[in-house]
Structure formats: C-alpha cells, structure tokens
Amino acid sequence: MKKIALLAIAALPAFAFAQEAKYTVQGKIGENNAPAKVYLEYRAKGKTVIDSAVLTGGKFHFEGVTEGTAPVNAYLLFNAKGNGTNNAEDYRAIYLEAGTINITTADLLANAKVDGPKTNQENEKYQLAQKPIADAYKALEAKQKAATPAQQASPEFIKQSKADEKAIEDKSTAIDKKFIQDNPNSSISLNALESYAYSADYVDIAPLYAGLSPAIKATEAGIKFGERLPKLKAVALGAIAPEFAEADTAGKEVSLSSFRGKYVLIDFWASWCGPCRQENPNVVKAFNHYKNQKFTILGVSLDQPNAKDKWLAAIHKDGLTWNHVSDLKYWDSKAAGLYAVRGIPQNFLIDPNGKIVGKNLRGDDLEAALAKIFGKI
C-alpha cells in the first residue's frame, strides 16, 4: 500500500530535447535463471516502450538511447515465469540517463541498491527519505490483514484505519516538501513537486517551484509545470471556480454555473480508477446526509473514448445518484485540464457564490467539511 496506489495519476511527460543520451542498465537479481526475466519499461514519444532480458545467474543487461539529455522515468519489473509485465512480481523505479546504472539485490528489486549517475543517486536519497513512509504503509497493511473479518467491518476499525492512512500521507507530503527545498537542482525534486501538488494549494506550491534551480525549471518538464501554475492559481482556495459545461449521461449540456445558490462538490473520477471506486462509498454517504440541504455533487468522469457504457455501468453499480458529465476524453478531459487535475480521485467544494472553499476532501474530511457548513446530521 504505497502513496501512488491511493490515486490514479496521469503519466508524467517524457523529458525530450534534440540531443540523445546513451544509457546502460545492468545488474543482478539473486541467482535467477531462465525463464525468469526482467523488463525495462518507460515512455517515449507518447508510447510505452518495453524491453526484456532473460536472467542468467541473476545477471541482466540493457543498452539504449533516449531522446534528450534529461533523465527519463523508467521501471524495472521482475517476473520469475518470464510471461510479461502484467504478471510482474516486483519492481523498482529508476531513471534512464547518460552513463551506467547498476542494480544489485539478493532478493527483491524493491530492496535493490542502485548505483548510477546523478539522478539515480538523488533518487536513492529520496527513496531513503521516504522509507519510513513505505514501512508505515506496510505496517498498516499488516495490521488490517491481521484483523478478523468482524473487526475489519467495524466502524471504529475503519475510522482508525483511515485516520492512520491520512497521517502517513501527511508525513509523506512533509517529506516531499523538505526534499524539494533541500535539493533545488534535482530532477527528483520536480517529480516530488508533482506529487506534492496533488494535495497542496497554490500558495504552497508556487514558492517551491520558484525555489527550483534555473536548470531544472528550463527542462521540458520544468517548463510544463511552470505553465500549469496559472491554472493551479485559478483553482486555489478562495478563487472563483472556472466555468465549464459538458454533456451529461443523456447528452445534454450541463454547466457548473447552473448550480449557483448551492454548495457543489465537483468530483473528478473515472470508472477505470480503482482508488476512485474505493472512495465512492464515502461520497455516497456524504451525499445522502446532505442532499436535502443546499448541497449537490457534479461528477466529472475521465473515462476513455468509446467507454460510455463503462461510465454508465459504474454510476449504476456504485449508486451515484447525482449529476454526471463527461467528454469521454480520458486525461485530455477539458474540465480536468481547466482545473489542473493530474490525479484522481480529486474534488473541489464550491460555495453558493461559486468560490472554492475546499479541495481534496476524502473520507471523513468531506463529512467534517459539510458538517461545519450544515451542522452534524
């Protein structure tokens, strides 16, 4: 149970320039032999690239060229049966960059030592800072699995688990912030800022971006993040929510402004998003508690083109009895772009005058925010 598993995130943009970077990725995973394979997966030119190597005495070797001199996010995935990445048992994030990256482990890739050029060294430093978070998630998961079915179903246990999870997330966010401040000339800091921006507000995000080195801000990813800042400012707490209109399930255009006079929760989600589906019972509970007040929900789906049937089926199965809209454009959703949404589930609470008064209200936080407005029901 890691932080990234708690939400669905748009793929980070590939770093690309006119030059090329020649990389070597090599290492040893125990004493594994065929049919065991290790896979190297990354994004290039908007497509997923996958290479594979059969293990011999645990050893593997990859060579290649990336477009651009900036590091490229990549994953190594291990599969003992060698039957594809979808069945991978273990993985490790690395960065493809000019030079040689060495990966060694006696057992799991997750436990591997990574020795390489600058960005991989910085990533090791970041992973070490985040290790207490990974350990805390493992401990929480073990605690949940050890509980009896009756305990797992009890309101008290569920409430405590959610509180524990939120405390871990808050600590992770604090670590991200400190790492960014302490390492302004690191590509890892820019990636950490992407993660930090999911739950933070513009007033906290902008200074961290401003503190990055000119070299990092000049990378393609740095430029793209800078271009997002005005959108993040437009959906900051206290701002008037940007207007948009999209088709509902019957094809009728529905605008955000048509709900003026009510508190509106703009809920970004999708039928394919596991964390969204897990969060839906909490949203349903809040809606049922306050739907007779001046409160409603506008669901905005990031479902994929030609997947309207899956969108409608999820609405029905999860009991989402409020207004829903979607342009069925996946991560190219116009509304999601307008609200700088790069991870779901994500929501914005709008007051009767159209002002943003809450963001990312999940679980008990949503109930607490509505109770503060309407009183406990």
Side-chain angles (χ1 to χ4, degrees):
M1 184 193 299
K2 297 183 179 180
K3 185 177 181 182
I4 196 167
L6 301 178
L7 61 150
I9 302 175
L12 293 177
F15 298 95
F17 289 93
Q19 302 98 327
E20 293 181 341
K22 295 182 179 180
Y23 66 83
T24 297
V25 181
Q26 61 187 23
K28 192 171 186 294
I29 306 174
E31 298 296 331
N32 292 281
N33 290 291
K37 289 183 179 180
V38 63
Y39 298 84
L40 176 64
E41 181 175 330
Y42 61 96
R43 298 279 292 178
K45 296 181 179 179
K47 296 181 179 181
T48 299
V49 178
I50 300 176
D51 196 359
S52 65
V54 176
L55 294 175
T56 303
K59 294 182 179 180
F60 65 90
H61 184 95
F62 295 100
E63 287 185 4
V65 176
T66 65
E67 283 196 1
T69 58
V72 174
N73 303 66
Y75 289 94
L76 286 172
L77 303 100
F78 171 77
N79 185 335
K81 295 181 179 179
N83 59 351
T85 58
N86 289 338
N87 300 303
E89 305 152 30
D90 187 24
Y91 75 94
R92 180 61 185 257
I94 62 170
Y95 287 83
L96 301 180
E97 58 184 332
T100 300
I101 304 117
N102 294 296
I103 295 94
T104 54
T105 177
D107 43 47
L108 299 174
L109 272 174
N111 299 330
K113 178 182 178 181
V114 179
D115 183 22
K118 178 177 182 290
T119 305
N120 282 281
Q121 291 177 16
E122 291 167 347
N123 188 42
E124 286 295 283
K125 181 179 178 182
Y126 176 73
Q127 295 300 328
L128 182 62
Q130 284 283 355
K131 188 177 184 303
I133 303 304
D135 292 343
Y137 275 127
K138 287 179 182 178
L140 178 58
E141 188 174 18
K143 177 183 175 183
Q144 292 170 341
K145 287 183 177 178
T148 66
Q151 288 174 325
Q152 291 176 1
S154 71
E156 295 79 9
F157 187 88
I158 294 172
K159 183 176 182 179
Q160 185 59 52
S161 293
K162 289 179 180 177
D164 291 342
E165 191 172 281
K166 187 176 187 305
I168 297 171
E169 285 187 53
D170 289 344
K171 288 180 181 178
S172 179
T173 300
I175 290 172
D176 278 342
K177 182 176 182 178
K178 188 175 189 306
F179 187 92
I180 296 164
Q181 292 171 327
D182 292 346
N183 300 273
N185 195 38
S186 171
S187 296
I188 306 302
S189 290
L190 187 57
N191 286 352
L193 184 57
E194 286 279 0
S195 177
Y196 181 83
Y198 169 77
S199 56
D201 196 39
Y202 173 81
V203 68
D204 299 308
I205 299 168
L208 290 178
Y209 178 78
L212 294 175
S213 72
I216 294 300
K217 285 190 282 191
T219 65
E220 183 178 354
I223 291 169
K224 286 184 178 296
F225 194 96
E227 291 172 346
R228 283 175 55 212
L229 280 176
K231 291 184 178 180
L232 290 167
K233 185 176 183 179
V235 293
L237 290 172
I240 297 298
E243 168 71 340
F244 66 90
E246 289 189 0
D248 65 11
T249 56
K252 180 183 176 182
E253 286 284 306
V254 176
S255 66
L256 175 62
S257 58
S258 66
F259 299 99
R260 281 291 174 90
K262 290 185 176 183
Y263 281 89
V264 184
L265 185 74
I266 306 174
D267 184 34
F268 290 93
W269 73 296
S271 68
W272 50 262
C273 168
C276 302
R277 305 295 293 275
Q278 294 169 19
E279 179 64 16
N280 276 344
N282 296 322
V283 186
V284 169
K285 179 183 176 183
F287 180 71
N288 289 336
H289 277 180
Y290 298 98
K291 64 182 179 181
N292 294 323
Q293 309 297 316
K294 289 185 176 181
F295 172 70
T296 192
I297 298 174
L298 179 60
V300 182
S301 171
L302 275 65
D303 269 281
Q304 301 185 45
N306 302 316
K308 185 175 181 179
D309 56 338
K310 294 180 180 179
W311 173 40
L312 299 180
I315 291 171
H316 177 73
K317 184 175 182 179
D318 292 2
L320 314 182
T321 58
W322 47 81
N323 294 280
H324 292 273
V325 297
S326 180
D327 56 13
L328 298 175
K329 291 184 177 180
Y330 197 38
W331 287 111
D332 290 328
S333 161
K334 184 176 179 180
L338 190 64
Y339 279 71
V341 170
R342 291 185 57 82
I344 52 176
Q346 192 165 169
N347 59 45
F348 298 81
L349 183 61
I350 315 301
D351 77 4
N353 297 313
K355 185 169 69 175
I356 299 173
V357 294
K359 298 170 67 174
N360 291 314
L361 300 169
R362 297 163 63 187
D364 291 340
D365 288 344
L366 177 57
E367 280 278 338
L370 295 176
K372 187 175 181 180
I373 294 168
F374 300 112
K376 188 73 174 177
I377 295 178

